[in-house]
Amino acid sequence: MKKNRLLCAMGEGIQAIYGNLLLSVPLRGNGSIDEKEEAILKDIASWMAVNREGVYGTRPWEVFGESPAAEAVIPLKGQGFNEGKHQPYTAQDIRFVKKDVFLYSHVMAWP
């Protein structure tokens, strides 16, 4: 399972290139969410509460970001997915989005 911060970083990167991140939350047979999944959603909600200004209503900037990992060529296989094939994010991985006159820089990992 992906770490919660990785999900947020993936969302930042996808947002910077006009994409959408779809989360699949498995449900129990009775329709409830288990505690593990609920904790993930709460962590993401906490992150969004802090970072929402740089997420909601933003659009990609002229350059999607800077990243040593983005320069690496990763062959696409199967259905075209290469999830989990890149190097872990570092403080050198930055994604850019804009809203009105503001430019937001998302640093993908803590320096």
Side-chain angles (χ1 to χ4, degrees):
M1 180 167 74
K2 292 177 179 58
K3 295 181 181 176
N4 305 346
R5 179 63 190 117
L6 178 58
L7 284 171
C8 293
M10 286 174 59
E12 292 167 348
I14 291 168
Q15 172 193 12
I17 56 172
Y18 282 106
N20 295 297
L21 176 64
L22 176 65
L23 294 178
S24 178
V25 179
L27 301 175
R28 293 181 176 147
N30 65 3
S32 65
I33 300 171
D34 71 30
E35 296 78 21
K36 189 175 177 183
E37 301 299 329
E38 188 174 350
I40 291 170
L41 294 174
K42 285 182 180 180
D43 285 351
I44 292 171
S46 296
W47 182 90
M48 287 295 292
V50 172
N51 295 285
R52 70 160 153 255
E53 185 177 335
V55 175
Y56 293 123
T58 60
R59 306 303 302 162
W61 190 50
E62 299 164 5
V63 176
F64 95 97
E66 299 176 1
S67 170
E71 295 171 10
V73 176
I74 303 169
L76 297 176
K77 302 203 183 223
Q79 296 295 318
F81 296 105
N82 59 5
E83 183 178 323
K85 304 275 193 284
H86 61 78
Q87 297 292 325
Y89 291 121
T90 70
Q92 294 177 329
D93 294 299
I94 303 168
R95 302 296 180 262
F96 303 113
V97 293
K98 66 179 180 175
K99 180 169 41 175
D100 300 322
V101 297
F102 300 100
L103 175 65
Y104 296 92
S105 299
H106 294 280
V107 179
M108 307 297 268
W110 191 257

